[in-house]
Amino acid sequence: MRLILLGPPGAGKGTQAQRLVDEHGIPQLSTGDMLRSAVAGGTEVGLRAKAVMDAGKLVSDDIVNAIVSERLDQPDCQAGFILDGFPRTLVQADATEKMLASKNMALSCVLELRVDDDVLVDRIGGRYTCANCGAGYHDENLKPATEGVCDKCGSTEFNRRPDDNPETVRTRLQAYYKETSPLLGYYYAKGLLKPVDGMAKIDAVTAQIDDVLSSL
Ligand code: AMP
């Protein structure tokens, strides 16, 4: 299964991607995570990307296209993958089409998580991840079973993203509407777009996605 998760920041792409990883055993390819680890590792890509990410703007197409193409060549992507946060521009979508064709990989579908704008800022404001394993949580919607302890790995250290503040979130939303939302039409016209109600509870969104995937 080769999937793209599309939707604005805070739509639940990362949360659903983690569940798809657990359920289907295919890797989550999050360009945001890859860029954050490049920033943390102080690599050349990280140094170039940091200021752009902190401002909530998009990193250049060349950089992200190259990191995704390289990642798709890893053996764990042979059985499938979940692209989370990529492609994010029409240039990236065209590049995706070319790179998948050259690797003999066809997309299964593009899952669109639909969420009302006014809940996105609140959702993003409350989210955090485990500092050890990266599992995602939310102050209201997705708390660990034991407060302060990661369900997955037992760690008690958590991180909040520096770009998850209200001002940067607004810039990220603008980037979504300007650069990424045209991809909805792009994939609709290819017959690949599958809308999902991202306003539903997390388990209900997962159930909708399962229905879509079993109908493919
Ligand atoms: P995310 O974790 O998907 O919210 O991404 C965090 C930040 O990384 C974004 O605000 C962008 O600055 C950058 N980024 C992630 N994916 C892409 C992409 N496909 N194209 C350009 N910039 C990206």
Side-chain angles (χ1 to χ4, degrees):
M1 214 160 24
R2 303 183 189 95
L3 306 173
I4 291 177
L5 288 177
L6 205 55
K13 299 185 296 296
T15 304
Q16 296 301 328
Q18 282 184 5
R19 291 176 165 220
L20 288 164
V21 168
D22 294 344
E23 234 175 278
H24 300 278
I26 50 175
Q28 170 191 13
L29 275 48
S30 156
T31 41
D33 286 348
M34 293 180 209
L35 290 166
R36 277 185 288 278
S37 78
V39 170
T43 67
E44 199 192 320
V45 164
L47 293 175
R48 286 168 66 189
K50 185 178 183 320
V52 180
M53 292 173 74
D54 284 347
K57 298 191 173 149
L58 293 186
V59 174
S60 82
D61 293 325
D62 291 348
I63 291 183
V64 284
N65 290 344
I67 58 177
V68 171
S69 179
E70 212 172 283
R71 181 68 184 85
L72 286 171
D73 290 334
Q74 301 298 310
D76 63 336
C77 293
Q78 290 313 304
F81 51 78
I82 306 144
L83 284 170
D84 163 13
F86 180 92
R88 236 172 167 107
T89 66
L90 287 170
V91 171
Q92 292 175 21
D94 279 337
T96 304
E97 186 161 320
K98 290 200 186 89
M99 68 178 89
L100 292 182
S102 75
K103 298 175 200 297
N104 280 320
M105 294 170 164
L107 274 180
S108 309
C109 74
V110 176
L111 292 163
E112 177 201 359
L113 292 178
R114 290 191 174 168
V115 177
D116 294 346
D117 293 330
D118 50 4
V119 307
L120 293 172
V121 178
D122 287 344
R123 277 196 186 182
I124 291 176
R127 70 186 185 181
Y128 58 97
T129 52
C130 170
N132 178 50
C133 74
Y137 295 99
H138 191 278
D139 292 328
E140 302 297 330
N141 312 329
L142 185 58
K143 301 177 185 177
T146 307
E147 203 185 321
V149 182
C150 176
D151 293 341
K152 284 204 170 171
C153 74
S155 166
T156 52
E157 301 284 324
F158 296 90
N159 291 328
R160 290 184 191 255
R161 280 170 50 174
D163 61 344
D164 274 353
N165 63 79
E167 196 190 324
T168 311
V169 169
R170 264 182 275 280
T171 309
R172 288 162 60 200
L173 262 182
Q174 280 172 15
Y176 175 78
Y177 282 111
K178 206 168 143 193
E179 311 268 10
T180 310
S181 62
L183 270 60
L184 298 173
Y186 177 98
Y187 286 117
Y188 174 80
K190 288 179 184 295
L192 287 168
L193 193 70
K194 304 285 180 193
V196 167
D197 174 16
M199 296 288 287
K201 289 238 161 38
I202 294 172
D203 286 345
V205 177
T206 307
Q208 287 179 68
I209 291 176
D210 287 345
D211 284 350
V212 168
L213 297 182
S214 52
S215 73
L216 290 177

